[in-house]
Amino acid sequence: DAGVTQSPTHLIKTRGQHVTLRCSPISGHKSVSWYQQVLGQGPQFIFQYYEKEERGRGNFPDRFSARQFPNYSSELNVNALLLGDSALYLCASSPGVSSSYNEQFFGPGTRLTVL
Amino acid sequence: GNSVTQMEGPVTLSEEAFLTINCTYTATGYPSLFWYVQYPGEGLQLLLKATKADDKGSNKGFEATYRKETTSFHLEKGSVQVSDSAVYFCALPSQAGTALIFGKGTTLSVSS
């Protein structure tokens, strides 16, 4: 079975541009979460979507947005990129909403570099 | 809100040495606790978990016991291998239960 897939693998953008990152969850998983991992730090929660609805939002500015499609895949959009947005963006899928009872399976991530 | 603190690294060990990585948490109630591992160039993988106090999670020779008295979930392995070299993250659910909150990570480097 395929795991969580993310595209692209790497991305280089310049300040002020926007970016779209994509994630396909494990088949049968209805929840997708996005995390930002800055070098040397633990992942920070950005969003969770379940059944196409936003179920959780971390402490990130409105430049960050996301959506989930009927096939449960998801996009993360970041507008007006800043140098500080350079990070590894991780997508995680799980069968349900609760992070206590549903194991989250992580993709390999998209490495975003903002110049 | 819920939070987790884990020991800073890096931790450098010789093969077959004993490993301990400390993790303490602050939480409302008794949430599940997790250890994740990130190998170079990869995403995170769940290593082990414990869902209630005094539970012991174990996997691949690693163990961690949920201690509510000391609010701790320390990761241990009796004999590390070179292949265990990775970054280890302690984590717990957010208070709302929709996210995972991670520690800063501890880098383990094992030499032969």
Side-chain angles (χ1 to χ4, degrees):
Chain A
D1 286 342
V4 178
T5 59
Q6 293 185 243
S7 63
T9 306
H10 296 88
L11 204 51
I12 299 175
K13 293 285 189 178
T14 57
R15 282 178 295 175
Q17 287 189 310
H18 71 272
V19 67
T20 298
L21 310 181
R22 295 177 175 84
C23 171
S24 292
I26 291 171
S27 177
H29 286 190
K30 298 181 178 180
S31 172
V32 170
S33 298
W34 288 95
Y35 292 81
Q36 180 196 65
Q37 186 179 15
V38 173
L39 195 62
Q41 299 293 316
Q44 297 287 318
F45 172 70
I46 311 175
F47 287 110
Q48 184 196 43
Y49 275 78
Y50 178 75
E51 291 278 19
K52 296 174 289 180
E53 293 189 1
E54 182 183 300
R55 291 300 193 96
R57 173 185 285 253
N59 187 25
F60 280 81
D62 291 344
R63 299 184 296 107
F64 288 76
S65 64
R67 55 179 176 168
Q68 187 177 31
F69 299 99
N71 66 353
Y72 303 111
S73 66
S74 177
E75 285 182 352
L76 175 70
N77 295 283
V78 187
N79 293 324
L81 285 167
L82 302 174
L83 295 179
D85 295 331
S86 295
L88 180 68
Y89 288 85
L90 295 165
C91 174
S93 78
S94 61
V97 173
S98 170
S99 55
S100 277
Y101 303 110
N102 294 277
E103 179 179 344
Q104 296 204 20
F105 294 82
F106 285 81
T110 293
R111 172 73 62 188
L112 172 64
T113 301
V114 182
L115 302 177
Chain B
N2 295 354
S3 65
V4 63
T5 302
Q6 65 180 101
M7 63 184 282
E8 301 280 335
V11 174
T12 304
L13 296 173
S14 298
E15 208 166 22
E16 299 183 2
F18 183 85
L19 168 71
T20 300
I21 301 178
N22 291 338
C23 171
T24 58
Y25 67 90
T26 301
T28 301
Y30 302 104
S32 297
L33 300 173
F34 307 89
W35 276 100
Y36 278 81
V37 58
Q38 187 173 35
Y39 297 103
E42 298 184 14
L44 277 70
Q45 300 175 26
L46 178 64
L47 180 60
L48 55 83
K49 68 178 182 181
T51 58
K52 61 183 186 295
D54 299 326
D55 256 7
K56 179 184 285 187
S58 61
N59 186 27
K60 299 181 181 179
F62 290 90
E63 294 183 339
T65 302
Y66 191 160
R67 304 280 190 200
K68 67 176 183 179
E69 300 85 3
T70 53
T71 62
S72 65
F73 192 54
H74 304 322
L75 182 68
E76 297 181 334
K77 187 174 186 182
S79 176
V80 295
Q81 305 300 312
V82 172
S83 57
D84 294 327
S85 298
V87 183
Y88 292 82
F89 295 93
C90 187
L92 80 169
S94 63
Q95 204 162 341
T98 54
L100 283 175
I101 297 172
F102 291 88
K104 292 186 176 181
T106 303
T107 300
L108 170 65
S109 178
V110 181
S111 58
S112 58

